[in-house]
Amino acid sequence: MSRKCLFCPNPVDSAEHLWSDWILEDLKPVEPIHIKFGKTFAKWVDDPEVRIKCVCQKCNNGWMSAIESENKPHMLAMLNDKPTVLLPTQQKLLTRWAVLKSMILDGSSPQRRPIPFYTECERTGMKPPSRSLPVNTLTWIGRLEVKAFHAGLTNTFGGINGIPKAFQGCVVTIIVGHLVIQVLTMHVLPMFATNRIRPVDKPEAKLASTRLETTCASRTPRQHQKKPLLLFGSDTRTPTLMRHF
C-alpha cells in the first residue's frame, strides 16, 4: 500500500527539500550537516541536498513552493546576517515556513515514527484556503555568530496542575546560515485546551505566537493586538532559544 501525502489524500510521489534549493545555492555548504531526530537517531550527511519523500507533486509544486517564494527575500538577508526588519505579515510567513519544515521533519521517518506528532487535521490546515497554523504553536528566531546547518526534532512532555503528562510537545530547531528558528507545538489534554502557552521567559525576538480556536473544526483566530516590527541583525539582542525548553 502506497504512503499518503502528509498534506492531502494523494499518494507520495515527490520529495521535499529539507533545505531549499535557493538556500543551498546561496550558502554553498561544504561541511557535513548534522540531522538529529529525538534521542535515538542522529547522523552527519555529506550531501547538503537532503530530500524527504513524504509529499505529492501537487502539494510540493503548488502551495509549498509558494511558501518558499514568499519567504525567500527576507530569509536570504537573515541567513547572510544582514540587518532585517520583519513586518507583521513577514513574521507570519516565516512562521508558516518553519512549521511546514517541522511537519516535514516530523513525517520523515515512518519506520522510526509510525504516527507523526502533527495530526492530519493540523497538516491539512496548512494548505490554502485556510492557511492555518496548529493550535498552541510558538516560534522563535535567533542569530548565530557563525554560519551553520542543523535540523533537530525532540519530543517533550510535562504536567499541568499536578496531572502528569498533561501535555506533549514537539520541538524543532532549524539552523540555516546565521538564522536559527525554533518551533514548539503542544498537544494538551482536553481539560486544559483553553490554557495559553506561557514560555519560561518572554524572548525579545519571539516571532509569531499563534493561538487559534482549540478545535480542528474551527479555524477562526482570536483577536490579537497589532504585532510590532521585529528587528534581526548583529546589533540586536536575540535569546538563547533552547533555554525555553
Side-chain angles (χ1 to χ4, degrees):
M1 184 177 178
S2 60
R3 290 174 58 198
K4 188 173 71 171
C5 172
L6 285 177
F7 303 100
C8 76
N10 293 334
V12 170
D13 60 3
S14 183
E16 166 68 355
H17 286 87
L18 184 56
W19 290 283
S20 314
D21 282 340
W22 53 270
I23 292 176
L24 299 177
E25 290 172 3
D26 185 82
L27 294 180
K28 298 179 175 60
V30 294
E31 299 293 332
I33 295 174
H34 188 233
I35 300 177
K36 186 175 185 297
F37 201 98
K39 297 180 179 180
T40 60
F41 177 76
K43 68 176 181 179
W44 292 87
V45 295
D46 294 322
D47 185 1
E49 190 175 356
V50 179
R51 295 169 62 90
I52 300 174
K53 196 169 184 179
C54 59
V55 295
C56 68
Q57 293 186 33
K58 183 177 180 181
C59 287
N60 200 6
N61 299 327
W63 63 274
M64 293 171 64
S65 178
I67 290 178
E68 297 285 347
S69 300
E70 291 167 338
N71 281 281
K72 183 176 178 179
H74 48 266
M75 282 191 66
L76 278 176
M78 297 168 77
L79 59 88
N80 281 295
D81 205 21
K82 295 179 181 178
T84 306
V85 176
L86 290 179
L87 300 173
T89 54
Q90 294 170 320
Q91 295 176 38
K92 189 68 172 288
L93 288 173
L94 187 51
T95 299
R96 291 194 72 224
W97 184 90
V99 172
L100 173 61
K101 295 300 180 180
S102 298
M103 290 179 174
I104 294 295
L105 193 59
D106 176 48
S108 63
S109 181
Q111 294 79 23
R112 295 185 178 87
R113 198 180 181 89
I115 301 177
F117 172 84
Y118 287 99
T119 67
E120 184 175 0
C121 186
E122 289 172 329
R123 299 193 304 269
T124 56
M126 287 282 291
K127 298 173 53 179
S130 59
R131 296 184 176 89
S132 56
L133 297 169
V135 174
N136 284 336
T137 294
L138 295 172
T139 308
W140 292 268
I141 63 170
R143 173 184 170 269
L144 198 62
E145 288 287 344
V146 297
K147 286 186 177 181
F149 275 88
H150 171 82
L153 181 150
T154 303
N155 292 325
T156 184
F157 60 87
I160 300 176
N161 296 341
I163 299 179
K165 294 187 178 181
F167 73 86
Q168 294 183 336
C170 179
V171 183
V172 171
T173 306
I174 297 173
I175 303 175
V176 282
H178 293 276
L179 174 62
V180 183
I181 306 178
Q182 189 164 73
V183 177
L184 165 64
T185 298
M186 295 176 61
H187 293 163
V188 301
L189 293 177
M191 67 180 72
F192 301 113
T194 58
N195 286 31
R196 187 177 180 85
I197 295 178
R198 297 186 182 277
V200 175
D201 299 303
K202 185 177 181 181
E204 295 86 347
K206 185 170 71 171
L207 190 53
S209 81
T210 304
R211 176 65 167 143
L212 306 184
E213 295 298 325
T214 55
T215 60
C216 286
S218 176
R219 291 292 180 177
T220 304
R222 297 177 187 266
Q223 295 296 318
H224 290 290
Q225 294 181 347
K226 186 176 180 180
K227 296 184 180 68
L229 301 181
L230 188 149
L231 305 179
F232 177 92
S234 58
D235 57 344
T236 60
R237 292 193 304 135
T238 53
T240 304
L241 301 183
M242 287 303 293
R243 73 184 179 192
H244 299 293
F245 306 101

